[in-house]
Structure formats: structure tokens, C-alpha cells
């Protein structure tokens, strides 16, 4: 943004729906109070309306555009105290500055009102439009504003009196005596001397309007002008800087944990070991004879390590070299400068201008955040020439040094792009919904072709490589209503930013096997929708034929980009991101995930080097959310040490981190000039909900890869993981919220449609990452996303079947236990059950409290035996060791099969397709039982902790509530009218679906 421009935040308060009645008369008189960056605005009051409509726009000045993403816009709804005894709280909404969009991308978004405390009674939602604009500030106006800021009265004299009584009056347990005192204060309220001395322009009538006594017949609307912001800009900036400094001092206690904006330099590498590197920065050289234009270069020699800079005649080198200190076999560094001269016979001769040596034991050490070491001039020692100097800097640092990423690295093969550490971002995905309504004025049977009496038509839409078709419909005679065919069908595509230029819609005639006409829709200009509150506008598009037919009819369509959905681009059981596509619906992160990729050990060779010995060039890829990270490639080592650390923002704790290890083959090319494919070494997954907060997990995991010859252990990888959370309340609230955004439940997509869209999204992500530089290979992305989970596999089917059997075995064990009691196998147990049966008959109201208390005690006792190490993929659970070669050959066989004749191929493929669906069904059934089992095994400590507290509270509640009343209330609640039901899943169902299963451990 230019220096002479100002950024303004525009907030449109549109309306609110289904507010909680708070005035004692079954209604509410609501007004909204907005706070942003020290500025406060207020809407008008809508009297006695639970669905108020404001349609008011307010402006806020953004004083610091760089820190706008860390600012919070808070909107509080209150019931006007003129209609009741006090100003009661109706709900609030907090929006992070990172969700603000630029003018032109705004949309009406309905935000559910949040509670202020756990015991608040709040419901409803508020419709907002929030966006910002950048306006150029004229020179005269800028000078006037600066002068006005300097001559403004002190902030104490113009500061608005805060609404201190509002928060106190919102408490639920306020006594009647306090209410009477407040009424007396309202009657005796008079402006203070400071308020009388305030200039009239600072706050025109707002204080008087707010403090006016209650009226018996309020008007339909009261105009409460927004409170002007009167604080000095300079003072406000100083306060903001103090606030930022205070938040940095708090460290991890800060509530806004952002991996990209927070200051985490001092602990950026606390999960990994510090690796010492010898850094040499070669800047330039100065020759005694400056007129010589021959190129010069420098050569660095440390024992057997030798490297030279690029040749430069009149420019600086400005190159940094990083040598792994543990791999050095010498204690001295020798730097020599050479020049190249071309003779008359085109022969190039090299001559040394001099050398300079350094003792590595005397090289200084640098630890960030120390400033970079300044380069110095060193005189080159030479017997032939004198007066030659070289400018360089030598220091010993770690991988945390900012020069490390761009340096020539000795353990990564130098400056090879394919071996460098990189961070990739998946493209932002949207669902594009095309609703084909009808066509008119179609010109069928053009040219000399005979016109078919009742042609069959369908509409085909194409976006990039995606093609979808509607059903067929017949066109009747011109006098009938079917002359204009109608479909009213939805076609859903996956669109990735930057979008494809056009969506091509074609009307096809099946009878003549030709196209009637086509229309193009400009995708970047399509309307974006965030919810289902309002339908997008439909439009008529002209159909264009060939050159001889410029107009062949028109088609009626509705097109929109659905921002309320999360586009699934990975397998559902290993999803790592559940946020909606629209930026306005994003919520603040609830925590921070830090992963330290330390190293690997005992890796097996996967290729040969120079045809003599085996070698492995390993690197690691970690994927969470849209962010992919790739470590540097350590060449020719079976025990590589990366010691790289990365961070991700966490928006949902019930997500999965995926880490894969690969052998780099792309930095070398084959005879045809194409890069080789990367080879899989292994993969692990870590579910965040199984991690305790603010605890470091440092473990080694086995790497197993499935090959056509069977499962093979490739080595081990050592990683450190820490899930940091600042607010326990927001973390616990996540367990009661739906997994996916609201649109997935209000307008759900079918299972078959979801599978098609998921694999389409996978292909788009794979293609986009493969076009990066350096590319992330297709084989790498597909392996990380589990793109082959839908393919039939005898091994996976066996694993899912035995998962179902394992869950049913608990029921069989209970049946055998009951049979043992009936047959008096253990008499004391049978006698105890008789006593328990008599107690249940005599005291039925103690059944549920006793059951929950028993569950509470059992869970508390079993908490000592919960697993302390994060779970990983289990080869035994995956049945990788109990497979025959024929079954492995079937799993690695592609479509179509090449193992038999044509007829057998058709039957075989059909059987595999059906078996693939049964395989997924078995996995889903098994996951339900495993989630219930995980609740009692403390696999997710937070979820089990919540259930433990629930059991204790339920036990106490059922001691007080009669059992008959509970049964009657439960029955009435279960049989309640549909109008009292919510479209969203219930809290217990959301809690149960978030429990972990063994799905993420299946290979």
C-alpha cells in the first residue's frame, strides 16, 4: 500500500435472526456495539424485534496495515436498557483480521452468536459484510490531518466514558436490591463536570441518549450516532507498540498463536539438535591490476572437500558455502583466488593470485539472533604477485542461521534445486455449482440434415479436464410445453485458484450426434456464495454454433462458487484440514503444531551408485492442512540427520499429520533427459487428538513399505512433535462442533458424488504441486494423500473384516460372561448378581447414577494404563505380513488387469469395483466400534477427560432427578416436533464422530 493512502475497514450490520428474548415480554430491543483497533461504533436500536434489520454501514480506520491480521473485530449485541431494567447481553461475534477481504470480494455471511460464559443463554445469528478499501489520501488532507492530530485536545478530556455498568448488569445472579439501586442511579443521573467541559463535536448527543430514563412508549427507531474516535493517532500507535511488545514477552501465553507472524526465533529449533556448520561467505576480490578483464574465481579447500565459486570478471560473487562440521576431515580452511587467461591458441591457463588460510579452531561462533558477521578484507599471500585482496567472512553457526537456506550445502550436494528444503502450498479449492434450468429457441436439425421429430438432448459442461453431463430429455412438438426442455439439475465441479478461464456448457443432440450450441462462462467473475441463505441469480446465455450459426438458442443457468464447503482433497480418515473455502468463514487457530524432523537410522539402499554399491538419498515430506514441507536431501547416507523444524496453525484437534520418507531420484536424469522417479521409503501418521497439549513427544518410528514382493522394513525415522494450545475452552468447544462446515449438513453431497469430487481434487493438487519449482513429484503427492484407498485390496478387506470381528468379540465375551453367571460357574459372582438384581428392583432410580459412577471409577483407574506414545501405522493390523504373493500381485495390478482373457478381465474388474465399496463399508462399521472403545482406553485424553467429567456430573444429576421423570423427558425429547429440531448434528453425535479409530493406522 502506498504511503499517502489510508486503509478503511467497512462493516455492514445487515440483520439478525432468532435472538433470545431478554426484555421480560418475550421480545428484545437489540442494538450492536462494534470495537476495532480502539474505535467504537453503535447501531440504532430496533425495538421489540427478534429478527431486527439494520442495514447500516460503519467505517473504521486501520492505523497499521501490517498488523491488521492480528487485530480483532468484536461485535456485541445488547438489549436496550430503555425497554427493561438493564442492558442484557444478546451474544457476540469475534472476527480475526486475517478473515477480512478486499472490497469486491465481500459477501453476506451469517455468524452464530457466541456466549460470553458457559452459563449464558444465547441463540441466533447475525448477518455481516466485512471488507476493507485502500483510499489515496490527498496531500492537503494529509497535512491537515497531521496538523489536527498535533493540535488535538488531550485524550483524557475527549475520551468516551466506557460502558462500565453494562458488564456488571449482565450477570445472571444479580439481586433485586442491586436492581433498585440502579433505578435510583438512573433517576439521579447527571452529567459530570468533565462531561460538561467536553466539546460538542466530540460526542454529539450520544451520552445523553444512552443515559436517558426509560420511556413507556418508545418510538419505532432511535438514532444513536456512532461514537467518534478521539484518541490521538500517535498515542494510539505507542499504545499498540506497547501491547505488541507485551504479547511478545508473554511468549506461549499469548492467545493468538500464529506460526507466520509471531516471534518464535528464540525457540525455532528447540525440538531438534543444533547441527554445527562452517559458513564461508565469499563476497569479492580486489586485484593489484584492475585493468585486467579476465574472469576470476575462488577455490575453497578443507581436507578432501574442494569447491569453487562462479567465475566473475566485474561482479561480486556474493556466495555462501555451508560445510557440515562433523564431516570435515581437516582443521584448516584454505581460500585461494584464481584467474583465467585466454591465449592466442584458444588455450585457457589458470594462475593463482594468492591464498589465505584459517585455523578452524579460531573461527568465531555465531548464534541467531546475533547479527550476521561482517566480511573483511584479507591479503592474499603469493610468491608471484602482491597487492591482491579478498573479502570474505568465516564463522561457525547452525542450521538456524538465516544464510543456511540459500547456501551451498555440503551434505545436500551443493546448489542442486531438487535437493533444497522447500515449503509448498496446495491450491485453494472451491466447489463450482452449475444449475442447468432450461433452454429456449433451440434450432435443431440445421443444414441439410433432416429434423428429428422428438430429439433427445442433454447438457454437457466442461471445466478444464472435468466433464459432467445432465440426464437426457426429449423435445416434443412446438405447441407443447416440452418444446423448451427443462432439467433443473446440479453439476458440481472442483475449481482451483487461479481459476480456469472459462466453463464451457454445450447442448448435445443425441439423435443427430452433434452439438446444438455452446456457451462460455467466465469463471473468475462468477458470484461467490458462503451459505444457503440466498440463492445466486440465474442468467440466460446465448448458445453459439459453428461459423454459419451465430445463434442457436439460449440456455438458462445458475452458476456460483460455493465457499461454505470444505473441498475434500485427501482420504476422510486422514484429513488434516476442515476449514471452509470462503475466507470470511475462517476461525482463529486454537493451537500450534510444531514438528522437528530429527533424522533417520538404518535406512536400506534403494539404488546403486556408479553401478558398484547401494546408496540412499533420503528426504522427508510432511503434510498438514494446505502446507507441505520438504526437507533437504542428504546424499549418500544411511543415517541422515536433518534436524529441521516446522510449524503449522491448528484449527481442529481431530486431524492427522502425515510424514513420508522418500529417496530423491529427480536430481538425476535418465538417458532421455527425464527426471527419475522418487522411491517410497515409508510413511507415518500422527493424530493430534491423541497428543497431550504443551508436551514434547520424541520417538522413533519404524518405516515399512509395501512392495510387490511383500512388506519390507526400510529403517526408522526420529521425529519430535508438540501440540501447543493457549485456550482450553476453545479446545474443548471443538469437540462439540461439527467436523465439517455447515453447508455439508444443510445441503449435503451424495457419497458417490463426494468420492468423484475428492479424487478430482486429488488430481488437481497433484498436478499443481508437480508444476512447482522444484516439483513435488506425482508419486510423492499420491502416496501422501492415499489416493489409492478406493482400489480393491484383499489385504485391506481382511484388515477391515478382522476389525469388525474384534469389535463384535466384546459382545460375544459379554454373552459368555452372562452364560457363566446363569450356569453358576463362579457361585460368588452369581450370588452378587442376585443381590444386584434385588437392588435394581427395589431402587430403580439408582440404576443410572450407579452405572455412570461405575464408569467414572473404571475410567479413572484405567487412565494409568493409557498409551504414552503417539500411535503410528500398525503393520500387524494392516495384515502386511499375512499375505500371499498372489494377493499382493492382485493389489498391485492396475485397471484393466492383464492377467487373464478378455471375459475374465471384465468379470474381475467388476468384482474388484464391488469389493472396493464393501471394503469401505467394513472400515466405516469398524470405525464406529473402535471409537467407542477408544473412549474407554484414553486414546484421546481430552475426549476421555470430557467423558469422565460428564459421567461424574451425570451421576450427581441422576441422584437428584427421578428416574421416571428422566424417562418421560427423554421420550418427549425424542418424539419432539420437527420444527423444534436443528439441521446440525447433536453435540453427543459430534463428540462421538471426533473420537479416534484405527483407520489412520491402516497402511
Amino acid at each position: 500500500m502506498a504511503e499517502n493512502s489510508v486503509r478503511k475497514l467497512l462493516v455492514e450490520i445487515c440483520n439478525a435472526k432468532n435472538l433470545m428474548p431478554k426484555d421480560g415480554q418475550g421480545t428484545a430491543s437489540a442494538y450492536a456495539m462494534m470495537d476495532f483497533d480502539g474505535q467504537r461504533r453503535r447501531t440504532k436500536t430496533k425495538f421489540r424485534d427478534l429478527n431486527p434489520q439494520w442495514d447500516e454501514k460503519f467505517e473504521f480506520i486501520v492505523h497499521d496495515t501490517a498488523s491488521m491480521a492480528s487485530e480483532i473485530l468484536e461485535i456485541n449485541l445488547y438489549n436496550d436498557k430503555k425497554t427493561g431494567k438493564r442492558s442484557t447481553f444478546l451474544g457476540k461475534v469475534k472476527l480475526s483480521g486475517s478473515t477480512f477481504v478486499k472490497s469486491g470480494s465481500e459477501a453476506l455471511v451469517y455468524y452464530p452468536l457466541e456466549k460470553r460464559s458457559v452459563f449464558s443463554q444465547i441463540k441466533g445469528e447475525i448477518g455481516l459484510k466485512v471488507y476493507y478499501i485502500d483510499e489515496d489520501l490527498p496531500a492537503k488532507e494529509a497535512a491537515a490531518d497531521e496538523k489536527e492530530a498535533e493540535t488535538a485536545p488531550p485524550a483524557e478530556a475527549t475520551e468516551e466514558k466506557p460502558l462500565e455498568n453494562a458488564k456488571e448488569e449482565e450477570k445472571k445472579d444479580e439481586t433485586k436490591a442491586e436492581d433498585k439501586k440502579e433505578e435510583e442511579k438512573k433517576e439521579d443521573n447527571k452529567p459530570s463536570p468533565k462531561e460538561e467541559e467536553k466539546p460538542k463535536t466530540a460526542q454529539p448527543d450520544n451520552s445523553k441518549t444512552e443515559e436517558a430514563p426509560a420511556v413507556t412508549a418508545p418510538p419505532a427507531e432511535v438514532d444513536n450516532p456512532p461514537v467518534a474516535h478521539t484518541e490521538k493517532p500517535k498515542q494510539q500507535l505507542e499504545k499498540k507498540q506497547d501491547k505488541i511488545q507485551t504479547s511478545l514477552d508473554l511468549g506461549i501465553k499469548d492467545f493468538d498463536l500464529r506460526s507466520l507472524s509471531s516471534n518464535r526465533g528464540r525457540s525455532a529449533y528447540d525440538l531438534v539438535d543444533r547441527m554445527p556448520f562452517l559458513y564461508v561467505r565469499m563476497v569479492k576480490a580486489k586485484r593489484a591490476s584492475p585493468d585486467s578483464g579476465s574472469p576470476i574465481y575462488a577455490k575453497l579447500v578443507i581436507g578432501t572437500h574442494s569447491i569453487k565459486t562462479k567465475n566473475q570478471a566485474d561482479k561480486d560473487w556474493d556466495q555462501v558455502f555451508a560445510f557440515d562440521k562433523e564431516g570435515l576431515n581437516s582443521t584448516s580452511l584454505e581460500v585461494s583466488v584464481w584467474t583465467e587467461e585466454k591465449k592466442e591458441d584458444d588455450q585457457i591457463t589458470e594462475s593463482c593470485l594468492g591464498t589465505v588460510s584459517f585455523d578452524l579452531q579460531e573461527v568465531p561462533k555465531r548464534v541467531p539472533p546475533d547479527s550476521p558477521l561482517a566480511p573483511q578484507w584479507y591479503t592474499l599471500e603469493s610468491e608471484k604477485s602482491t597487492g591482491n585482496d579478498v573479502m570474505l567472512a568465516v564463522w561457525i553457526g547452525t542450521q538456524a542461521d538465516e544464510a543456511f537456506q540459500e547456501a551451498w550445502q555440503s551434505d545436500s550436494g551443493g546448489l542442486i534445486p531438487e535437493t533444497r528444503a522447500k515449503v509448498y502450498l496446495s491450491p485453494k479449492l472451491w466447489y463450482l455449482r452449475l444449475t442447468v434450468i432450461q433452454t429456449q429457441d433451440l434450432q435443431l436439425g440445421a443444414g441439410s440434415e433432416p429434423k428429428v421429430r422428438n430429439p433427445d438432448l442433454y447438457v454437457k459442461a466442461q471445466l478444464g479436464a472435468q466433464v459432467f453431463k445432465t440426464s437426457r430429455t426429449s423435445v416434443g412438438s412446438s405447441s407443447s410445453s416440452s418444446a423448451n426442455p427443462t432439467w433443473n439439475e446440479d453439476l458440481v465441479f472442483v475449481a482451483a485458484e487461479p481459476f480456469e478461464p472459462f466453463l464451457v456448457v454445450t447442448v448435445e443432440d443425441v439423435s443427430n450426434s452433434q452439438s446444438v450450441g455452446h456457451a462460455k462462462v467466465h469463471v473468475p467473475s462468477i458470484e461467490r456464495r458462503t451459505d444457503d441463505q440466498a440463492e445466486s441469480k440465474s442468467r440466460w446465455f446465448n448458445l453459439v454454433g459453428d461459423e454459419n450459426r451465430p445463434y442457436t438458442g439460449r440456455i438458462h443457468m445458475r452458476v456460483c462458487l460455493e465457499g461454505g464447503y470444505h473441498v475434500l482433497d485427501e482420504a476422510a480418515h486422514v484429513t488434516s484440514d476442515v476449514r471452509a473455502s470462503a475466507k470470511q468463514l475462517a476461525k482463529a487457530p486454537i493451537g500450534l503444531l510444531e514438528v522437528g524432523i530429527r533424522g533417520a537410522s538404518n535406512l536400506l539402499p534403494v539404488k546403486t551408485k556408479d553401478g558398484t554399491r547401494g546408496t540412499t538419498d533420503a528426504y522427508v515430506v510432511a503434510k498438514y492442512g494446505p502446507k507441505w514441507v520438504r526437507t533437504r536431501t542428504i546424499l549418500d547416507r544411511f543415517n541422515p540427520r536433518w534436524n529441521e523444524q516446522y510449524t503449522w496453525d491448528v484449527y481442529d484437534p481431530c486431524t492427522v499429520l502425515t510424514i513420508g520418507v522418500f529417496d530423491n531420484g529427480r536430481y538425476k536424469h535418465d538417458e532421455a533427459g527425464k527426471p527419475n522417479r522418487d522411491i517410497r521409503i515409508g510413511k507415518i501418521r500422527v493424530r493430534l487428538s491423541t497428543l497431550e497439549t504443551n508436551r514434547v513427544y520424541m520417538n522413533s518410528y519404524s518405516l515399512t513399505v509395501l512392495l510387490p514382493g511383500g512388506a519390507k522394513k526400510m529403517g526408522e525415522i526420529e521425529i519430535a512433535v508438540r501440540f501447543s494450545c493457549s485456550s482450553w475452552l476453545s479446545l474443548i468447544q471443538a469437540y462439540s462442533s461439527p467436523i465439517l462446515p455447515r453447508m455439508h449438513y444443510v445441503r449435503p453431497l451424495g457419497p458417490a458424488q463426494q468420492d468423484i469430487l475428492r479424487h478430482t481434487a486429488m488430481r488437481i493438487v497433484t498436478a499443481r504441486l508437480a508444476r512447482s519449482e522444484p516439483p513435488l513429484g506425482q508419486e510423492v503427492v499420491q502416496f501422501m494423500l492415499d489416493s489409492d484407498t478406493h482400489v480393491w485390496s484383499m489385504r485391506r478387506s481382511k484388515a477391515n473384516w478382522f476389525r469388525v470381528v474384534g469389535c463384535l468379540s466384546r459382545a460375544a465375551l459379554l454373552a459368555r460372561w452372562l452364560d457363566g453367571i446363569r450356569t453358576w460357574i463362579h457361585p460368588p459372582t452369581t450370588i452378587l448378581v442376585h443381590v444386584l438384581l434385588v437392588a435394581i428392583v427395589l431402587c430403580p432410580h439408582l440404576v443410572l447414577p450407579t452405572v455412570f459412577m461405575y464408569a467414572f471409577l473404571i475410567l479413572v483407574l484405567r487412565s494409568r494404563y493409557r498409551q504414552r506414545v503417539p500411535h503410528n501405522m500398525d503393520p500387524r493390523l494392516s495384515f502386511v505380513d499375512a499375505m500371499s504373493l498372489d494377493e499382493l500381485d492382485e493389489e498391485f495390478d492396475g485397471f484393466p488387469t492383464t492377467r487373464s482373457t478378455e471375459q475374465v478381465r471384465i468379470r474381475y474388474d467388476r468384482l474388484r469395483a464391488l469389493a472396493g465399496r464393501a471394503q469401505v463399508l467394513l472400515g466405516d462399521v469398524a470405525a464406529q466400534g473402535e471409537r467407542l472403545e477408544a473412549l474407554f482406553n484414553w486414546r484421546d485424553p481430552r475426549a476421555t477427560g470430557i467423558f469422565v467429567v460428564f459421567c461424574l456430573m451425570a451421576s450427581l444429576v441422576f441422584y437428584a432427578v427421578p428416574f421416571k421423570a428422566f424417562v418421560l423427558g427423554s421420550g418427549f425429547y425424542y418424539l419432539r416436533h420437527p420444527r423444534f429440531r436443528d439441521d446440525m448434528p447433536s453435540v453427543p453425535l459430534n463428540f462421538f464422530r471426533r473420537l479416534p479409530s484405527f483407520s489412520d493406522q491402516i497402511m
Side-chain angles (χ1 to χ4, degrees), residues 649-714:
D649 286 327
V650 177
Y651 296 87
D652 195 302
C654 302
T655 45
V656 178
L657 165 71
T658 304
I659 299 176
V661 185
F662 302 88
D663 173 79
N664 195 334
R666 290 184 171 268
Y667 76 97
K668 289 186 178 181
H669 297 74
D670 55 13
E671 298 178 355
K674 296 182 179 180
N676 299 320
R677 293 173 61 88
D678 294 341
I679 302 174
R680 306 173 180 177
I681 295 180
K683 179 173 58 178
I684 66 172
R685 300 193 191 103
V686 178
R687 180 174 286 272
L688 268 62
S689 60
T690 61
L691 304 177
E692 297 181 8
T693 55
N694 303 322
R695 176 185 170 186
V696 177
Y697 292 85
M698 192 176 300
N699 300 285
S700 294
Y701 300 90
S702 177
L703 296 172
T704 304
V705 65
L706 194 62
L707 301 174
K712 190 174 183 179
K713 184 177 179 181
M714 304 297 294

Side-chain angles (χ1 to χ4, degrees), residues 944-966:
T944 309
I946 296 173
F947 186 66
V948 166
V949 175
F950 170 76
C951 291
L952 178 61
M953 299 298 295
S955 175
L956 300 177
V957 168
F958 282 115
Y959 272 115
V961 177
F963 180 73
K964 295 179 181 179
F966 168 74

Side-chain angles (χ1 to χ4, degrees), residues 532-836:
D532 64 330
Q533 299 292 337
E535 287 286 348
S536 57
K537 297 180 181 179
S538 60
R539 294 176 55 193
W540 287 95
F541 295 87
N542 292 335
L543 295 174
V544 180
D546 51 18
E547 297 179 355
N548 299 326
R549 297 186 301 163
Y551 176 79
T552 58
R554 62 176 186 166
I555 184 170
H556 191 199
M557 299 184 299
R558 182 184 296 113
V559 189
C560 68
L561 287 168
E562 297 281 7
Y565 290 92
H566 168 70
V567 181
L568 299 173
D569 59 344
E570 51 193 347
H573 60 277
V574 293
T575 183
S576 60
D577 189 15
V578 293
R579 290 176 293 167
S581 300
K583 186 179 180 181
Q584 297 93 327
L585 300 179
K587 296 182 179 179
I590 63 174
L592 192 71
L593 173 64
E594 299 168 273
V595 179
I597 303 173
R598 299 173 61 85
S601 59
N602 303 323
L603 295 182
L604 297 182
V606 297
K607 59 186 177 184
T608 58
K609 183 177 182 180
D610 302 329
T612 56
R613 63 182 181 86
T615 184
T616 298
D617 305 327
Y619 70 94
V620 180
V621 175
K623 194 264 181 190
Y624 183 79
K627 180 180 175 181
W628 300 62
V629 299
R630 168 180 176 166
T631 66
R632 69 187 189 279
T633 302
I634 306 296
L635 299 181
D636 196 16
R637 291 188 188 178
F638 299 123
N639 297 283
R641 305 299 298 178
W642 293 283
N643 283 309
E644 300 182 20
Q645 186 169 335
Y646 299 93
T647 60
W648 288 267
D649 286 327
V650 177
Y651 296 87
D652 195 302
C654 302
T655 45
V656 178
L657 165 71
T658 304
I659 299 176
V661 185
F662 302 88
D663 173 79
N664 195 334
R666 290 184 171 268
Y667 76 97
K668 289 186 178 181
H669 297 74
D670 55 13
E671 298 178 355
K674 296 182 179 180
N676 299 320
R677 293 173 61 88
D678 294 341
I679 302 174
R680 306 173 180 177
I681 295 180
K683 179 173 58 178
I684 66 172
R685 300 193 191 103
V686 178
R687 180 174 286 272
L688 268 62
S689 60
T690 61
L691 304 177
E692 297 181 8
T693 55
N694 303 322
R695 176 185 170 186
V696 177
Y697 292 85
M698 192 176 300
N699 300 285
S700 294
Y701 300 90
S702 177
L703 296 172
T704 304
V705 65
L706 194 62
L707 301 174
K712 190 174 183 179
K713 184 177 179 181
M714 304 297 294
E716 293 183 348
I717 182 174
E718 182 184 359
I719 64 170
V721 182
R722 177 170 57 204
F723 174 38
S724 304
C725 179
S726 60
S727 174
W728 268 90
L729 182 60
S730 60
L731 186 61
I732 294 175
Q733 284 179 347
Y735 281 86
S736 62
S737 61
I739 298 178
L740 295 173
R742 183 176 183 273
M743 285 292 290
H744 286 270
Y745 306 100
V746 178
R747 297 191 63 178
L749 303 172
Q753 189 179 25
Q754 276 189 356
D755 289 339
I756 295 174
L757 295 175
R758 179 186 293 114
H759 292 102
T760 301
M762 286 182 180
R763 288 194 295 268
I764 293 176
V765 172
T766 302
R768 290 291 179 90
L769 293 180
R771 292 169 55 189
S772 304
E773 187 59 37
L776 199 61
Q778 177 182 356
E779 64 278 5
V780 175
V781 179
Q782 291 179 350
F783 184 58
M784 296 289 290
L785 293 178
D786 285 341
S787 59
D788 58 346
T789 53
H790 66 291
V791 179
W792 160 256
S793 168
M794 181 67 74
R795 176 185 59 82
R796 290 197 188 98
S797 298
K798 283 183 178 180
N800 291 336
W801 169 254
F802 283 103
R803 287 166 60 197
V804 174
V805 171
C807 293
L808 296 178
S809 63
R810 273 70 176 179
L813 183 63
L814 177 62
R816 288 195 297 268
W817 180 74
L818 293 175
D819 186 70
I821 292 175
R822 185 179 62 87
T823 55
W824 287 75
I825 293 178
H826 192 248
T829 305
T830 305
I831 295 174
L832 183 61
V833 171
H834 279 79
V835 175
L836 181 63

Side-chain angles (χ1 to χ4, degrees), residues 46 297 352 373 462 512 685 730 760 805 861 883 890:
K46 299 294 182 179
Y297 65 89
C352 181
L373 190 65
Q462 181 174 1
N512 292 332
R685 300 193 191 103
S730 60
T760 301
V805 171
L861 292 176
M883 292 191 64
E890 181 183 16

Side-chain angles (χ1 to χ4, degrees), residues 22 93 247 285 304 389 468 498 545 641 804 869 916 943 973:
K22 291 283 187 176
V93 172
S247 63
T304 58
D389 298 330
F468 291 101
R641 305 299 298 178
V804 174
V869 180
Y973 179 80

